[in-house]
Structure formats: structure tokens, C-alpha cells
Amino acid sequence: MTLIDLLNRFNIIPHNLAYFEEAFTHSSYANEKKGGVVDYERIEFVGDGVLDLIAADLIFLTYPNMKQGDMTKLRSLLVCSASLANYARKYEFGEVIRIGQGQIKEGGPNQKILEDVFEAFIGATYLDQGFKFTKSLLESILMDDIKNFDLEALTDYKSKLQEDLQSNHRGNIKYEVIDEIGLSQDKTFVVEVYMVLEDNSVLKLGKGSGKSKKQAEENAAKDALSKRAGN
């Protein structure tokens, strides 16, 4: 699939194709080619801001009674690294991204690159097609997830665990990465959560895994809460 093929999927007739060429160019490719080839970093910066604004607008309009805290969590869920990389995979961005030979040897576009390119694509669309078109495009991409989000994903298990334990114990809650599984571009973190009590004894609470340390910590806290509920 070519860049033009991809743009056709989104009904984009580019006014300035260079925006999109930059959006799909990783720094590893630009560094190898030199000669004026520009990577996606500046356009990604624009896309990041546009994406946050439009996601917030869509959530606000879809859920007129949702509290600000939950709106923030839902937006974070929509625009987190894993979500944006999944959107990039869904629309086969990996076939179009220009990367250097070194990155190809490492396995091609990883999650971070896919996330960045999705943001850069939104930035290029905004610069080339304007805000109204970009909002319509993002609505078509995000709306299913906005309407069918996992309520559990908005739960802050770490805060709940903190509140639960502090009402019954005196001590400090600690999260520790005990294992990292997989290659650098597709790593899974395993985290254990425990509590150091006032007498310096250690109370093991739970364990969880995830594609980021934050996600693994949340899952460890969730595991700890489920165990406490079963007691």
C-alpha cells in the first residue's frame, strides 16, 4: 500500500503532500537519507494537541452528565500509547511508514513509532485539510470507543488500594518491577505491589502485568483489591 492509497481510505485529497510524507517519515530514515528529508517530530507536536482537543470535544458532547474526572480518564484512555498504536495498526500505517535499515533490523515500527505516526498523521491532516475535516475524521475513528468504553478501565485501582489500606494499616505502599518479558519494542512488565509496615515487615498484596509500567501497577493494585475482597 502506498501513501496515496492510505490517504484515499480516509477520502483525503492532499493540498500539500509533503505534510503527509513528513508524517510517515521516522528519524532513522531521515538520518540515513539526509539531503533535506524531514521526519515527523514537528508535525507530531501539532497532532498531539489537535488530538487532545478533539477527543475532549467529542467526550464532552457525547456525555453531557459525565464528571470532569471521568472525562479526563476517558480521554487518557483514548489517546494513550497503546490505543493510538492500535489505531495505526488497524489502518495499516506500518506499510507506509518510512524507517531506516537499523530500525527494520530491530523489527520495524514498534508501538512508540506507531503512536507517534498516528499523532503526526492527525497533525498533517489538520494542517492540510483544516479543523472541521480533521474532527470528522477523528470522530469516525474514535466514536465507537467513546460510546463503548470499558468502565473498568476508568477505575483508578492504585488510588482505591491506597484508600483501602490506609484505613486499616500504617505503612508505605511500594510497586516493584520484578520481571520484563519480550523484546524492547514489545515488552511486558510484571509488577508486584507490597506494603512496608511500621515494624518494617513486608505485606505482599498482589501482582500484575502490562505493556507499560503504569498499566502493570494498575493491574497489580486490582489484583490486591480482589484478594482483599475475598478475605
Side-chain angles (χ1 to χ4, degrees):
M1 180 168 62
T2 67
L3 176 57
I4 295 298
D5 292 332
L6 180 62
L7 297 181
N8 285 339
R9 292 182 65 175
F10 294 102
N11 297 314
I12 295 173
I13 301 173
H15 303 294
N16 186 349
L17 185 60
Y19 285 139
F20 295 99
E21 289 174 339
E22 289 181 22
F24 285 86
T25 300
H26 186 247
S27 58
S28 61
Y29 182 92
N31 291 337
E32 287 180 10
K33 295 298 180 180
K34 300 179 180 178
V37 176
V38 180
D39 65 43
Y40 58 61
E41 291 183 358
R42 281 174 51 82
I43 289 183
E44 177 201 351
F45 171 80
V46 175
D48 179 57
V50 172
L51 183 59
D52 275 353
L53 173 60
I54 293 176
D57 186 57
L58 292 174
I59 293 167
F60 180 83
L61 294 174
T62 305
Y63 296 106
N65 298 315
M66 182 177 280
K67 294 180 180 179
Q68 186 267 343
D70 287 339
M71 291 168 67
T72 299
K73 292 174 186 176
L74 178 52
R75 182 179 62 180
S76 296
L77 182 66
L78 288 171
V79 302
C80 73
S81 177
S83 294
L84 299 186
N86 283 337
Y87 294 137
R89 292 188 188 97
K90 178 180 179 180
Y91 295 104
E92 302 176 294
F93 281 20
E95 293 186 19
V96 181
I97 300 171
R98 300 191 295 182
I99 57 176
Q101 291 301 314
Q103 187 64 45
I104 291 174
K105 291 178 181 178
E106 290 185 15
N110 56 31
Q111 176 170 300
K112 182 64 168 63
I113 294 175
L114 290 170
E115 170 200 358
D116 291 346
V117 168
F118 184 85
E119 290 178 330
F121 167 67
I122 296 304
T125 303
Y126 166 73
L127 292 170
D128 190 70
Q129 301 286 307
F131 182 81
K132 184 177 179 180
F133 182 95
T134 307
K135 181 180 178 181
S136 177
L137 182 147
L138 272 175
E139 185 173 2
S140 70
I141 294 173
L142 301 178
M143 192 51 73
D144 279 349
D145 288 332
I146 290 174
K147 289 183 176 179
N148 302 298
F149 69 91
D150 181 2
L151 182 62
E152 190 174 274
L154 300 187
T155 304
D156 185 349
Y157 290 105
K158 290 178 68 175
S159 294
K160 282 184 174 293
L161 181 63
Q162 184 87 19
E163 293 170 5
D164 181 68
L165 289 171
Q166 285 187 339
S167 64
N168 295 288
H169 301 279
R170 291 185 178 275
N172 296 316
I173 299 174
K174 303 287 185 181
Y175 292 86
E176 182 179 349
V177 177
I178 61 172
D179 200 5
E180 297 181 15
I181 304 168
L183 302 174
S184 59
Q185 64 265 28
D186 189 27
K187 188 172 290 186
T188 296
F189 296 91
V190 181
V191 167
E192 187 174 76
V193 58
Y194 58 93
M195 191 170 198
V196 181
L197 302 175
E198 283 189 320
D199 61 1
N200 289 324
S201 61
V202 176
L203 179 63
K204 291 186 178 180
L205 303 172
K207 185 167 69 172
S209 62
K211 288 298 183 181
S212 68
K213 292 179 183 178
K214 181 178 180 180
Q215 183 184 49
E217 289 175 355
E218 282 290 332
N219 287 332
K222 179 181 178 182
D223 180 52
L225 285 165
S226 68
K227 289 178 178 176
R228 290 179 64 77
N231 288 340

